[in-house]
């Protein structure tokens, strides 16, 4: 078991903060797109149900944004306190997107406030909808900029390190590094996908509890169609991400796939366990699929872990994180596809209790996939905080008080999570759809 020194405690505290923040950050990126889409459909079709959807989602979204601001501030604070050596190096090179991420958030927050308080203030409803567009742009831009920072940690470019001193710093090169396209695209697409399934899960649960109404049917259809689009997009981007790993981080891919020996026509290992001799047992092997994932060629050579020093490779449990992320992604894609097929055939099965419970499960499962993906991304980079430039232990603080900070922040997140849950439940319980719809119709 790893020793709980200051470096390990710093990792645990950062993981705790990121794990909590990513819930609200994901919804913060994805929900504005669904709000804007629902209002646009409502205006275009003159359908009050879709406009009511946008109103209610906006109110819930504002609560999650408030919590996301607090946890995002905690991340900024912890970067400086827990990782001073890392920030001393990285801050000089990758400071541009950190600044732009803050600007994007301010941009989003300004228009969100205007959007929230200008319902029914315009004769032409499209004017109000147009205010939602900067909110969508700002939230997605914020995700893009912060993703470039994480991409830089996986592919540090745009500087030279001579005797511990930074020279020839190029901020744009650092920002648009080789990992940026796949990293940013995957983060944004999966946020849209997860948000759609979270809202679909809430809708399906309410249908099971209250029965089918026209409002809930439209909400479920809109979220499931959106989920289908981004499930396909996320799968395609995931394939590009695998090819990125094969080219730039082959040891990470090898650890994730338990690929120990370099070979051509490599099999993809799903599940399984490692025995005391390092042999894989009880796994499903898909012939040549790893070569296809890595290079798009069933006979291509895939580098194995044997090529790398053991102390410079990630822990092998990331294999399960990768399988969990991909497995849930496949389930979500299959569920949304099946919904569209059944709906197209005008069958009632897509509103059956079994199918609705599957949609309810898709909400927490999609968020679990987000958590597994981020842990895989961060742990899979170990022992490096900056890939092949700085190890994690070199970037961490040597303070003796990280353990106390961990307990304080744990308490903070428990309180924030409880408050957020209570406020959201009370907000919608005290304002049922039926009552609000009647008020809109008057």
């Amino acid at each position: 078991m790893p020793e709980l020194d200051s470096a390990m405690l710093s990792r645990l505290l950062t993981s705790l903060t990121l794990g909590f923040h990513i819930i609200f950050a994901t919804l913060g990126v994805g929900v504005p797109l669904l709000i804007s889409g629902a209002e646009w459909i409502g205006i275009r079709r003159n359908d009050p149900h879709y406009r009511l959807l946008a109103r209610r989602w906006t109110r819930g979204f504002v609560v999650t944004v408030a919590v996301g601001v607090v946890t995002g501030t905690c991340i900024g604070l912890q970067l400086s306190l827990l990782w001073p050596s890392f920030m001393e190096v990285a801050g000089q090179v990758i400071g541009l997107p950190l600044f732009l991420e803050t600007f994007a958030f301010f941009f989003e927050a300004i228009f969100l406030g205007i959007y929230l308080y200008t319902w029914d203030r315009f004769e032409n409803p499209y004017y109000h909808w147009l205010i939602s567009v900067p909110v969508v742009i700002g939230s997605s831009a914020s995700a893009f900029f912060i993703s470039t920072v994480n991409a830089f940690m996986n592919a540090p470019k745009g500087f030279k390190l001579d005797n511990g001193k930074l020279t020839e710093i190029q901020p744009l090169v650092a920002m648009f590094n080789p990992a940026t396209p796949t990293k940013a695209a995957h983060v944004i697409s999966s946020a849209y996908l997860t948000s759609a399934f979270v809202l679909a899960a809430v809708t399906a649960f309410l249908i099971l509890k209250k029965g089918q109404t026209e409002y809930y049917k439209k909400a479920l259809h809109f979220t499931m169609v959106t989920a289908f689009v981004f499930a396909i997009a996320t799968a395609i981007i995931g394939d590009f991400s695998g090819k990125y790993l094969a080219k730039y981080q082959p040891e990470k891919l090898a650890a994730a796939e338990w690929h120990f020996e370099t070979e051509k026509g490599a099999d993809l290992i799903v599940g399984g366990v490692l025995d005391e001799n390092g042999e894989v047992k009880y796994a499903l092997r898909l012939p040549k699929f790893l070569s296809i994932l890595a290079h798009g060629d069933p006979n291509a050579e895939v580098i194995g872990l044997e090529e790398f020093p053991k102390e410079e490779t990630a822990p092998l449990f990331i294999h399960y994180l990768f399988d969990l992320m991909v497995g849930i992604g496949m389930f979500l894609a299959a569920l949304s596809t099946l919904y569209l097929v059944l709906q197209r055939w005008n069958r009632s099965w897509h509103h059956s209790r079994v199918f609705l419970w599957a949609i309810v499960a898709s909400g927490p499962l999609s968020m679990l996939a987000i958590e597994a993906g981020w842990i895989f991304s961060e742990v899979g980079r170990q022992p490096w905080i900056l890939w092949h430039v700085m190890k994690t232990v070199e970037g961490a603080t040597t303070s003796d008080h990280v353990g106390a900070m961990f307990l304080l922040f744990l308490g903070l997140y428990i309180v924030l999570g409880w408050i957020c849950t209570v406020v959201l439940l009370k907000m919608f319980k005290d304002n049922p759809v039926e009552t609000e719809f009647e008020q809109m119709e008057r």
Side-chain angles (χ1 to χ4, degrees):
M1 184 175 179
E3 182 185 353
L4 289 179
D5 55 12
S6 59
M8 179 55 67
L9 286 169
S10 295
R11 289 181 62 188
L12 291 174
L13 177 51
T14 306
S15 299
L16 174 68
T17 302
L18 286 172
F20 187 69
H21 175 70
I22 199 66
I23 298 171
F24 302 94
T26 298
L27 296 176
V29 174
V31 172
L33 181 71
L34 284 108
I35 291 171
S36 182
E39 186 179 14
W40 182 79
I41 293 173
I43 297 170
R44 189 170 181 83
R45 297 180 182 176
N46 195 25
D47 190 328
H49 289 117
Y50 280 100
R51 297 188 69 185
L52 181 57
L53 268 177
R55 281 178 183 260
R56 291 174 67 83
W57 285 347
T58 301
R59 287 200 290 270
F61 173 66
V62 170
V63 176
T64 62
V65 166
V67 179
V69 170
V70 176
T71 54
T73 304
C74 291
I75 290 174
L77 176 66
Q78 289 174 16
L79 280 175
S80 299
L81 293 178
L82 301 179
W83 308 101
S85 298
F86 164 71
M87 289 302 294
E88 184 179 357
V89 174
Q92 300 179 58
V93 184
I94 205 67
L96 176 61
L98 287 172
F99 166 77
L100 291 175
E101 192 272 338
T102 304
F103 175 80
F105 172 74
F106 287 158
F107 182 76
E108 174 194 358
I110 290 168
F111 282 96
L112 178 60
I114 299 171
Y115 181 82
L116 185 64
Y117 290 106
T118 54
W119 283 99
D120 303 321
R121 299 295 179 92
F122 301 100
E123 269 189 52
N124 187 338
Y126 279 108
Y127 290 162
H128 182 262
W129 170 77
L130 282 172
I131 299 172
S132 73
V133 176
V135 180
V136 176
I137 294 172
S139 61
S140 298
S142 181
F144 171 80
F145 292 131
I146 205 65
S147 295
T148 64
V149 177
N150 186 264
F152 171 78
M153 296 167 71
N154 286 277
K157 300 289 182 181
F159 68 98
K160 287 186 178 181
L161 197 60
D162 294 330
N163 298 320
K165 293 185 178 180
L166 293 173
T167 61
E168 300 182 32
I169 296 175
Q170 303 177 68
L172 290 178
V173 174
M175 184 174 167
F176 295 99
N177 58 75
T180 292
T182 54
K183 174 67 70 175
H186 194 71
V187 166
I188 295 171
S189 177
S190 61
Y192 293 157
L193 169 67
T194 300
S195 298
F197 268 113
V198 167
L199 294 177
V202 172
T203 304
F205 180 78
L206 292 172
I207 292 174
L208 287 164
K209 185 179 179 181
K210 297 184 176 182
Q212 296 184 33
T213 65
E214 197 66 23
Y215 172 85
Y216 289 132
K217 284 183 179 179
K218 290 176 180 177
L220 186 66
H221 182 70
F222 176 64
T223 51
M224 289 301 287
V225 169
T226 305
F228 170 77
V229 172
F230 288 107
I232 301 304
T234 303
I236 294 171
I237 296 167
D239 179 68
F240 286 119
S241 297
K243 290 173 173 55
Y244 166 83
L245 290 179
K247 182 176 181 180
Y248 292 98
Q249 295 178 302
E251 57 264 57
K252 183 175 180 178
L253 179 65
E257 299 297 345
W258 286 355
H259 182 62
F260 299 106
E261 298 178 0
T262 300
E263 62 178 339
K264 295 181 179 179
D267 297 345
L268 183 68
I269 296 175
V270 180
V273 295
L274 288 173
D275 64 15
E276 61 275 7
N277 298 317
E279 296 292 328
V280 180
K281 291 187 175 181
Y282 315 117
L284 173 64
R285 287 183 175 269
L286 303 178
K288 300 189 177 184
F289 268 62
L290 183 55
S291 290
I292 295 172
L293 173 67
H295 302 290
D297 179 356
N299 298 311
E301 182 178 85
V302 182
I303 299 173
L305 278 175
E306 64 180 3
E307 304 283 343
F308 307 100
K310 189 174 181 180
E311 64 274 11
E312 294 187 3
T313 57
L316 297 179
F317 74 79
I318 65 170
H319 170 76
Y320 297 114
L321 297 171
F322 184 83
D323 281 0
L324 181 63
M325 175 182 63
V326 174
I328 292 175
M330 293 177 66
F331 168 75
L332 298 178
L335 186 67
S336 57
T337 302
L338 184 58
Y339 173 87
L340 291 181
V341 170
L342 294 176
Q343 194 271 340
R344 181 71 174 176
W345 286 353
N346 295 319
R347 305 287 186 183
S348 61
W349 298 335
H350 63 297
H351 286 152
S352 67
R353 291 187 66 83
V354 172
F355 198 84
L356 288 173
W357 276 116
I359 296 176
V360 171
S362 71
L365 282 175
S366 61
M367 195 60 73
L368 179 61
I370 290 287
E371 297 283 2
W374 271 103
I375 297 171
F376 167 73
S377 177
E378 297 305 297
V379 177
R381 192 178 60 246
Q382 298 308 310
W384 306 100
I385 191 170
L386 271 179
W387 189 255
H388 289 177
V389 174
M390 176 185 288
K391 291 191 174 181
T392 303
V393 293
E394 298 170 349
T397 181
T398 57
S399 171
D400 296 327
H401 306 293
V402 182
M405 286 180 61
F406 181 92
L407 294 176
L408 288 171
F409 278 102
L410 176 61
L412 171 65
Y413 301 147
I414 291 173
V415 171
L416 283 175
W418 178 77
I419 291 174
C420 181
T421 303
V422 170
V423 169
L424 286 173
L425 289 175
K426 186 171 178 58
M427 177 185 291
F428 291 105
K429 186 177 180 180
D430 292 350
N431 296 279
V433 170
E434 296 76 14
T435 302
E436 195 166 352
F437 186 71
E438 288 177 6
Q439 293 172 349
M440 283 182 61
E441 289 291 277
R442 290 173 188 171

